[in-house]
Amino acid sequence: MKIIGTGSALPARQVTNDEISQFLDTGDAWICPRTGIRSRHVISDEQLEDLAVEAAQKALDMAGLGAKDIDFFICSNVVSEHVTPGLSCIIAARMGICCPMIDINCACPGFIYAMDIAETYFQAGKVERVLIVCAEEPSRMTSWEDRSTCVLFGDGAGAAVFTRGDKLKAVKLNAEPAPDKISQYRTLMPTPFVTKEEESTPLLMQGREVFRFAVTTSVRDISELVERCGLTLDQVNWFMIHQANMRIIDAIREGLGVEAERFPTNIADHGNSSSASCPILLDECNRKGMFKPGDVLVFSAFGAGLLSAAAVLEW
Ligand code: COA
């Protein structure tokens, strides 16, 4: 498959480190050196589907397609206000998309997992045009009284439209199940039968272990995949790394021994937007005209699960 359109959308409200320091015992002096984050976009009046629809529409416009032209729709989302139906159906109803659709919850590597699913459908000859939308609001998962998590995340949506082609060169999906490393629990409706104790929690994270997992798997996934494609790291034009934390991105870059110019970032004013992070970065770079035909892009993402994934895509 190949990409023929990208789009992204961010909430209007941008929250700086200084603003957070007005209600929490933290500040730019701690947050910036440890994460590279100075501000993040946070949902206030919008609904997540507003951002998802905007990102998807921009991607369709770039592709020169209408909603009816899409014959398979994958939505990546960890949490939204809707338990059912899936966010894909909410977005589709707003846009007039009328084709089979699925929702996946693969956390931060969701865009790469979705690309792998799409590629499988293309190879099976089942589809001609696929829309992937990643829409996330992690600001609604964290406790804004927990300085170790709330400062890290930002909200947003990213989208891409794919058609038949041979530009996705390889994908590696990886799982090392450890549900306690990044987790959040919600209670379901009470019944007359449930007697066990249940408790909702905000997002809980073992930060240092997640840091280690992210760096180790990303360096390994990228190295293996690039080699599998018969390429060297020198032949990769752009390393599209999940924007979780600037120190993670720097450690991956140092592990690979690659200079910073080939690692585009937007972490400083976006924060970590989970699965939306990679397609937002992709769209921003695309709209800046950074990619030339034939450029090699390597995606790498890691997060809750623990899951990681990488992909090599020729532009
Ligand atoms: N402001 C001020 N102090 C903070 C703080 C904040 N926002 N967050 C944590 N601290 C404090 C802690 O309370 C702790 O204080 P203590 O020693 O008095 O208990 C101290 O800073 C060190 O905490 P620690 O968790 O050990 O810091 P760290 O150097 O490991 O950095 C992270 C914390 C979260 C930045 C780091 O572990 C990280 O980046 N992990 C990866 C997280 C991530 O990106 N997850 C998503 C992946 S998809």
Side-chain angles (χ1 to χ4, degrees):
M1 64 189 196
K2 65 177 181 187
I3 293 183
I4 52 170
T6 61
S8 60
L10 297 166
R13 182 84 159 83
Q14 200 160 5
V15 179
T16 63
N17 294 344
D18 288 343
E19 193 174 344
I20 297 178
S21 71
Q22 289 165 21
F23 58 83
L24 210 54
D25 181 16
T26 185
D28 193 61
W30 193 95
I31 301 168
C32 199
R34 280 179 184 75
T35 69
I37 300 167
R38 294 185 187 280
S39 65
R40 69 288 290 144
H41 293 261
V42 171
I43 280 187
S44 53
D45 294 336
E46 309 93 341
Q47 285 180 297
L48 184 60
E49 49 265 37
D50 299 335
L51 304 175
V53 167
E54 185 185 334
Q57 192 57 56
K58 285 178 178 167
L60 285 174
D61 290 347
M62 188 185 283
L65 297 177
K68 297 274 183 291
D69 297 319
I70 296 300
D71 53 22
F72 192 49
F73 173 25
I74 306 171
C75 178
S76 167
N77 167 250
V78 174
V79 69
S80 80
E81 288 168 42
H82 305 271
V83 174
T84 191
L87 190 59
S88 60
C89 298
I90 308 294
I91 299 166
R94 289 262 300 263
M95 299 185 70
I97 295 172
C98 202
C99 65
M101 57 194 75
I102 56 170
D103 290 76
I104 61 170
N105 179 344
C106 301
C108 305
F111 182 62
I112 304 174
Y113 269 73
M115 284 203 291
D116 194 55
I117 296 168
E119 173 71 359
T120 307
Y121 272 74
F122 277 112
Q123 283 177 358
K126 288 184 166 184
V127 293
E128 292 295 329
R129 284 173 292 266
V130 175
L131 172 67
I132 295 176
V133 177
C134 303
E136 305 282 9
E137 49 183 335
S139 75
R140 302 297 302 278
M141 300 171 68
T142 57
S143 160
W144 283 81
E145 292 177 351
D146 177 5
R147 63 183 184 176
S148 68
T149 53
C150 71
V151 302
L152 302 173
F153 296 95
D155 306 327
V161 179
F162 297 82
T163 190
R164 197 169 284 283
D166 63 351
K167 300 297 187 190
L168 186 67
K169 299 300 180 188
V171 180
K172 179 175 195 276
L173 305 183
N174 173 54
E176 295 173 26
D180 55 325
K181 299 286 186 274
I182 307 178
S183 62
Q184 184 185 8
Y185 301 88
R186 68 180 163 205
T187 53
L188 304 178
M189 294 297 288
T191 78
F193 316 108
V194 171
T195 52
K196 63 196 175 202
E197 284 201 10
E198 294 180 336
E199 193 190 357
S200 294
T201 68
L203 186 84
L204 306 170
M205 184 169 62
Q206 298 175 20
R208 290 199 170 179
E209 291 183 47
V210 173
F211 193 110
R212 259 194 302 278
F213 169 79
V215 176
T216 314
T217 54
S218 182
V219 170
R220 185 200 59 204
D221 291 352
I222 291 174
S223 305
E224 277 182 30
L225 211 54
V226 168
E227 192 182 333
R228 200 200 297 170
C229 291
L231 297 169
T232 64
L233 292 171
D234 289 343
Q235 292 170 293
V236 176
N237 299 89
W238 305 107
F239 291 87
M240 311 294 290
I241 308 295
H242 168 46
Q243 302 289 295
N245 179 320
M246 198 60 214
R247 275 168 61 221
I248 292 179
I249 298 169
D250 283 339
I252 293 167
R253 194 172 58 67
E254 282 158 24
L256 295 169
V258 176
E259 70 280 12
E261 287 67 35
R262 290 189 278 153
F263 280 70
T265 65
N266 59 19
I267 179 84
D269 55 8
H270 286 32
N272 177 349
S273 58
S274 189
S275 73
S277 150
C278 279
I280 291 174
L281 184 67
L282 175 73
D283 180 54
E284 291 180 351
C285 294
N286 188 19
R287 284 171 195 272
K288 283 182 197 153
M290 285 167 54
F291 307 139
K292 303 198 175 31
D295 274 5
V296 176
L297 279 60
V298 171
F299 292 87
S300 172
F302 31 78
L306 295 169
L307 302 180
S308 74
V312 175
L313 188 120
E314 188 186 311
W315 196 250

